[in-house]
Amino acid sequence: MTGHELSDPCATAVMRFGVPVTDAATTWCHLAALLSHDDLVAAADHLVLTPARQRAGDRRPYVTVEQLRHRVDTYHGPGARAARKALVDVRDGAESRRETLLRLLLQRAGLPEPDLNVDVYDSEGRWIGRFDQVHRRWMVIVEYDGEQHRLDDRQYDRDEIKIEDAVQAGWSVVRIRKGAMSAAGKSAIARVERALRSRGWRP
């Protein structure tokens, strides 16, 4: 473990699992000089996430978007400009780095911004499940299909049933895997755009 000396008058120490560390917002600001824009946004999305279920002893979010915004306003160290730029793209709702990267990829392509990790119901009010990106107006769902979804049989079965139920309820579901995000994400962008256009979306 390597220590670092900080000269940041707004930094505070908090205890995490018995270890004193700098507060989440300050740590994120200091990372701004080291991370790419997308990874900096992904780190912030992790910090501001309000989880569907809280874990005992690990209450979240670690910092709210408003608290992060206030900290960025008071931060003038290395990476301050990058932090301000990244903050514009931070959202509460992404549950993984890949979900954030996919959202940013689609956003830069000019596609509409979705609701993140929200519950979807059928026409009779029955709960279908939570989905990564939901375009309610056009009834399009975008799911990032990570490796864990296919390696865990029970999770895979739940996902398959959830998606079948969504399609039955009239939703168009686009499942994106890691390979679709290579080559500047052209495949992912094209597939999501096609689904949105088929439901009436226009730029």
Side-chain angles (χ1 to χ4, degrees):
M1 182 181 294
T2 303
H4 298 274
E5 184 175 344
L6 302 176
S7 59
D8 185 344
C10 294
T12 60
V14 296
M15 298 298 292
R16 289 284 298 155
F17 303 108
V19 179
V21 296
T22 54
D23 64 276
T26 294
T27 300
W28 184 78
C29 287
H30 292 172
L31 288 173
L34 304 173
L35 299 181
S36 68
H37 175 84
D38 286 7
D39 276 336
L40 190 59
V41 174
D45 280 0
H46 174 73
L47 294 177
V48 305
L49 175 66
T50 304
R53 290 183 294 275
Q54 292 283 358
R55 287 195 305 174
D58 189 28
R59 299 290 297 178
R60 300 183 68 179
Y62 301 125
V63 61
T64 66
V65 174
E66 188 55 41
Q67 289 169 335
L68 193 61
R69 183 175 294 111
H70 176 73
R71 185 64 183 92
V72 169
D73 287 343
T74 63
Y75 180 68
H76 304 289
R81 181 178 299 179
R84 288 193 294 271
K85 183 179 178 182
L87 187 61
V88 175
D89 289 329
V90 175
R91 300 290 185 273
D92 178 4
E95 295 181 343
S96 73
R97 174 177 176 268
R98 286 285 176 180
E99 288 181 27
T100 293
L101 298 184
L102 177 59
R103 174 175 63 84
L104 295 175
L105 179 73
L106 300 176
Q107 177 181 308
R108 279 195 287 267
L111 301 184
E113 184 164 341
D115 295 325
L116 303 178
N117 277 295
V118 294
D119 293 326
V120 170
Y121 300 84
D122 67 15
S123 60
E124 297 182 5
R126 288 188 293 258
W127 182 72
I128 296 173
R130 281 170 57 83
F131 292 88
D132 298 345
Q133 299 187 22
V134 177
H135 296 276
R136 296 185 190 276
R137 179 177 175 184
W138 300 283
M139 291 199 63
V140 172
I141 288 169
V142 181
E143 282 279 281
Y144 180 75
D145 192 0
E147 191 74 15
Q148 75 280 5
H149 293 269
R150 286 176 287 116
L151 296 179
D152 184 328
D153 287 341
R154 284 187 298 178
Q155 181 64 52
Y156 183 83
D157 288 342
R158 285 195 296 266
D159 288 346
E160 290 298 303
I161 293 170
K162 179 177 76 170
I163 288 169
E164 287 175 9
D165 288 346
V167 171
Q168 186 68 30
W171 290 83
S172 175
V173 182
V174 183
R175 302 173 78 174
I176 303 295
R177 291 184 177 173
K178 183 178 179 180
M181 294 173 65
S182 60
K186 291 180 181 178
S187 173
I189 293 168
R191 290 170 56 204
V192 175
E193 181 174 356
R194 184 165 59 247
L196 286 166
R197 285 182 178 275
S198 73
R199 294 303 182 93
W201 173 80
R202 294 295 181 269

